[in-house]
Amino acid sequence: MASVAFLGLGVMGYPMAAHLKNRGGHDVTVYNRTTAKAEKWVAEHGGSYARTPREAAEGKDFVFACVGNDDDLRSVTIGSDGAFQSMKKGSVFIDNTTASAEVARELGEAAKARGFSFLDAPVSGGQAGAENGVLTVMVGGEQAVFDHARPVIEAYARMVGLMGPVGAGQLTKMINQICIAGLVQGLAEGINFGQRAGLDIEKVVEVISKGAAGSWQMENRHKTMKDGKYDFGFAVDWMRKDLKICLEEADRNGAALPVTALVDQFYKDVQGMGGNRWDTSSLMARLQK
Ligand SMILES: NC(=O)c1ccc[n+]([C@@H]2O[C@H](COP(=O)([O-])OP(=O)(O)OC[C@H]3O[C@@H](n4cnc5c(N)ncnc54)[C@H](OP(=O)(O)O)[C@@H]3O)[C@@H](O)[C@H]2O)c1
C-alpha cells in the first residue's frame, strides 16, 4: 500500500482516484479546485482531501494529476501552491493529463532538480474506460521509475506501456488522436452516404465491421451517429485542444498532417453549431445540417 495524492477529480480523475483507493488499496488524498467535488469523493470513498495541491502532495509516494491543459498542469505543479513545492525526495509525479510533450519535458527537468521523478502518462479509453478501470496508459520516463510506478498505475488500467523518455507518452497520445481524427470523419461520411442511399446502417455495420473497415469507433459509435446523438463521451473542445498540440508538434518535427488539420477545422464548424461538449463523433452533425 502506498500513500497517494490525486489532483483533479473531473470526468476522468474522479473514477481513477477511486480505483487507486478501492482496487489498489492505497491511502488516497484528493485535491480538486472546486472543493465540493473533493468532499463528495471523500464521502463516497473515504480517504481525505486537501485544500491545495501543495498540501495534498506533501509526504506522498506517488502524486497523480488529471487536469485540463498545459497551463492547468503548470498551475497544480510549479504554481506557488503547486505539488512540486512539497513533494518528498524519491517520490514520483504521474501526469495523466493530455498535454504537450514540451510541458512534460519542462516538468521532468523541474522534478529532477528537486530530487523526485516525473512520468507523463496520458490515457485513452474515455469516461467508460476510467469508470471501469480499463484505461490504456502511454508513459514517458525512465525504466526504473516506470517499474516502480507501474503496479500503482495498474489500479485503473488494462494496458500500461513505457514508450520512451519523458515526453514520449504525450507523443504517443498525439499519434492516437491523429489516427482517430481522420477515421471518425471517414466513418461519418460512410454512415451519411449509407443513409442517403437508403440502406439499413445497422445491417451495413454488422457486415463491414467484421472486415477491413472495422474500428472501435465503428463498433461503439455507429448507433448514436445514425441517431444524431452526441450528448456524451469525449468533448469536441478537448479534441481541438489535443489536435492543436499535434499540429504544433508536427510544425517542430516536420510531419505533414493535412487530414488532421482539415478535421480540426471541421470540429471548429461543430463548435459553431453549439457542439463544444458534444462527443467527437459529432463530425456527423456537419454532414446532416
Ligand atoms: N474525458 C475523456 O474522455 C478523456 C479521455 C482521455 C483523456 N482525457 C484528458 O484528461 C484530462 C481531463 O479530462 P476530463 O474529461 O476529466 O476533464 P474535466 O471533467 O473537465 O475535469 C478537469 C479537471 O481539472 C481540474 N482543473 C482544470 N483546470 C484547473 C486548474 N487550473 N487548477 C486546478 N484544477 C484544474 C478541474 O477542476 P474543477 O472541478 O474545479 O473544474 C477538473 O477536476 C484532459 O487533459 C483530457 O483531454 C479525457
Side-chain angles (χ1 to χ4, degrees):
M1 188 175 108
S3 78
V4 169
F6 203 104
L7 318 175
L9 302 175
V11 166
M12 301 297 282
Y14 196 99
M16 289 163 78
H19 287 304
L20 285 165
K21 172 105 185 24
N22 302 326
R23 196 189 276 177
H26 304 296
D27 181 7
V28 179
T29 300
V30 294
Y31 159 80
N32 197 67
R33 180 178 56 184
T34 310
T35 309
K37 261 194 239 172
E39 285 171 346
K40 179 170 177 273
W41 191 95
V42 169
E44 262 174 55
H45 303 290
S48 53
Y49 73 89
R51 296 269 171 196
T52 63
R54 182 186 193 136
E55 191 189 317
E58 195 165 2
K60 302 298 188 297
D61 305 317
F62 298 93
V63 180
F64 290 80
C66 191
V67 293
N69 59 27
D70 285 18
D71 287 343
D72 303 328
L73 182 58
R74 285 196 183 92
S75 153
V76 299
T77 52
I78 53 176
S80 57
D81 267 332
F84 280 25
Q85 312 301 346
S86 67
M87 283 184 65
K88 70 174 181 186
K89 298 225 182 310
S91 62
V92 186
F93 189 93
I94 299 156
D95 177 37
N96 298 125
T97 310
T98 302
S100 68
E102 273 187 316
V103 75
R105 292 186 200 111
E106 173 192 323
L107 295 179
E109 288 302 315
K112 199 185 239 175
R114 290 168 163 88
F116 57 89
S117 303
F118 178 91
L119 297 174
D120 50 308
V123 300
S124 169
Q127 182 174 356
E131 286 170 356
N132 297 321
V134 292
L135 292 169
T136 293
V137 191
M138 301 151 251
V139 184
E142 288 173 16
Q143 183 75 54
V145 180
F146 174 76
D147 292 343
H148 177 51
R150 183 186 188 138
V152 185
I153 296 173
E154 277 173 344
Y156 58 74
R158 178 164 58 192
M159 166 63 88
V160 188
L162 179 63
M163 312 313 300
V166 169
Q170 295 296 353
L171 291 170
T172 304
K173 174 74 184 185
M174 290 175 213
I175 298 167
N176 189 76
Q177 303 306 70
I178 291 165
C179 294
I180 287 176
L183 191 149
V184 175
Q185 175 63 18
L187 180 59
E189 290 182 17
I191 294 175
N192 183 51
F193 178 96
Q195 286 182 325
R196 286 174 195 256
L199 295 185
D200 177 342
I201 294 302
E202 300 248 1
K203 209 179 245 176
V204 170
V205 168
E206 195 187 320
V207 172
I208 70 169
S209 63
K210 306 299 179 296
S215 67
W216 185 97
Q217 298 288 341
M218 183 181 279
E219 289 277 351
N220 291 281
R221 295 289 185 261
H222 77 274
K223 277 203 185 99
T224 39
M225 288 170 85
K226 171 181 77 71
D227 296 339
K229 289 193 183 136
Y230 311 112
D231 188 18
F232 64 94
F234 184 57
V236 166
D237 280 354
W238 281 144
M239 187 60 164
R240 287 212 74 209
K241 181 239 335 167
D242 293 0
L243 295 182
K244 182 165 183 276
I245 292 171
C246 299
L247 293 165
E248 286 172 356
E249 188 65 33
D251 276 344
R252 278 187 287 272
N253 71 18
L257 295 179
V259 173
T260 308
L262 186 61
V263 173
D264 177 56
Q265 292 302 300
F266 292 165
Y267 279 123
K268 190 175 179 181
D269 293 346
V270 176
Q271 288 174 320
M273 294 166 68
N276 299 62
R277 298 296 297 183
W278 291 352
D279 181 65
T280 41
S281 55
S282 56
L283 282 175
M284 182 82 189
R286 287 182 64 249
L287 304 176
Q288 300 200 316
K289 69 177 178 183

